[in-house]
Amino acid sequence: MSAANGAGFSATPAEEDLLETPVLDADRANLLQSIAEQGGYAYVSMEALAAGGDVRAAEAAREMAWEQLHLGPWHSVLPIWRDAYSMACLHVAKLHYAAGEFSQAIRALDMGLIMGGPALRADLNLAIRKASKKASIALDSSSVQNHNIVSQEVNMAEISRILPARSLSRKLVGKRSALSLEGFIKDHYVSGTPVIIRGCLDQWPAKSKWNDLNYLRSVAGFRTVPVEIGKHYLCPEWKQELITFSEFLERIQSNDPTSTETTYLAQHPLFDQIQELRQDILIPDYCSAGGGEIKSLNAWFGPAGTVTPLHHDPHHNILAQVVGKKYIRLYPATISEELYPHSEAMLSNSSQVDLDNIEETEFEKIMEVEFEDCILEEGEMLYIPPKWWHYVRSLTTSFSVSFWWNNSSET
């Protein structure tokens, strides 16, 4: 080793080219013991070979963990197998990194973040930061013809033809500017009343950055993300894919609004995965109402025409519209039966009614119930109380953030 300036020594090239995994190094024995206790003896054997640099063993360990993740419903997966998957992804990434295959290393690490458990998340994030620097992932801005995602005006005459029947003809969701936390709690949180809040995104870096394709490509271009393909999750042709963020941006730019193959990054914890984007947003003060905690922080990013069908969620929800516009229709929780929820447990929070094509003879009650609706503009937030039914349609390319939280008695 060569002497460093001063009294110490510099790292050797070999040391500089290693992906550091301090948590794995410290907890590996305990994690492997827990995996073995769940019958993962073959995994433990493959992991030992992978740690020694065996590429095939690393891939085999990852495949074993992947199979455990898909034996049944996601909620039934043992947490240790999610951590086992993260561990295998780290081994695979290390070997790709050592071979100079930096984009493959980043993909493996992203899969660990998307599908893995929490135990090794710090290692995965640390490794991604190092691999990203090596990969030089900032793309050549000259390859981007249109630097901005949207500054689109909508033609209301055209929009009215694609919105559900009776849209924007009944009660509109009220709008408030500079709403204080006290005013929010008194007038909306306690009573469970939706409201649009203006002027709360002005301090977010995302408000200026996320319209810039060059910025999004530079911080996330080589990252792997899960996307939905098709109209929405209740349609039989709906499916999911894993693609790079750059490929996703290209699909948004070339989107055909009439296509049934719309690509949508929906309800994904993108900000847990890509730390640079997390730094662009702020948790609204309103989410402290009730003294609870954030349960979920998700991204919703896609072209015009993406649809989330009529459904309800169990938490308080602030939907922040960072880029573009959305149409949103809301029905109160008190009329759930009139909205024909699915009988299957997995879909019981979703309506059988397709608001874009209502079968009035089959679902006649839906035509009689009252609702509130709105166009959520760029820079606005919408508060959706727990279990309020809502339907959402993007009117332009749209990037939104949802904050779910519970009050202290529900945590």
Side-chain angles (χ1 to χ4, degrees), residues 133-144:
K133 291 179 181 178
K134 285 283 187 178
S136 301
I137 66 172
L139 302 183
D140 181 3
S141 62
S142 64
S143 66
V144 183

Side-chain angles (χ1 to χ4, degrees), residues 251-322:
R251 292 191 189 184
I252 286 180
Q253 286 186 287
S254 60
N255 180 67
D256 177 0
T258 65
S259 172
T260 59
E261 290 291 299
T262 301
T263 301
Y264 193 17
L265 195 161
Q267 198 171 340
H268 174 53
L270 185 68
F271 312 107
D272 288 341
Q273 182 188 352
I274 302 179
Q275 298 295 305
E276 294 87 346
L277 295 178
R278 174 63 183 85
Q279 295 169 9
D280 292 339
I281 63 176
L282 304 172
I283 303 294
D285 290 343
Y286 309 117
C287 297
S288 66
E293 60 183 26
I294 295 291
K295 289 295 185 182
S296 185
L297 176 58
N298 289 320
W300 306 79
F301 189 12
T306 58
V307 170
T308 302
L310 188 60
H311 72 288
H312 70 78
D313 303 307
H315 308 294
H316 296 276
N317 182 5
I318 289 280
L319 181 66
Q321 190 62 26
V322 184

Side-chain angles (χ1 to χ4, degrees), residues 3-18:
N5 294 332
F9 293 95
S10 64
T12 66
E15 289 170 334
E16 291 174 348
D17 283 339
L18 291 175

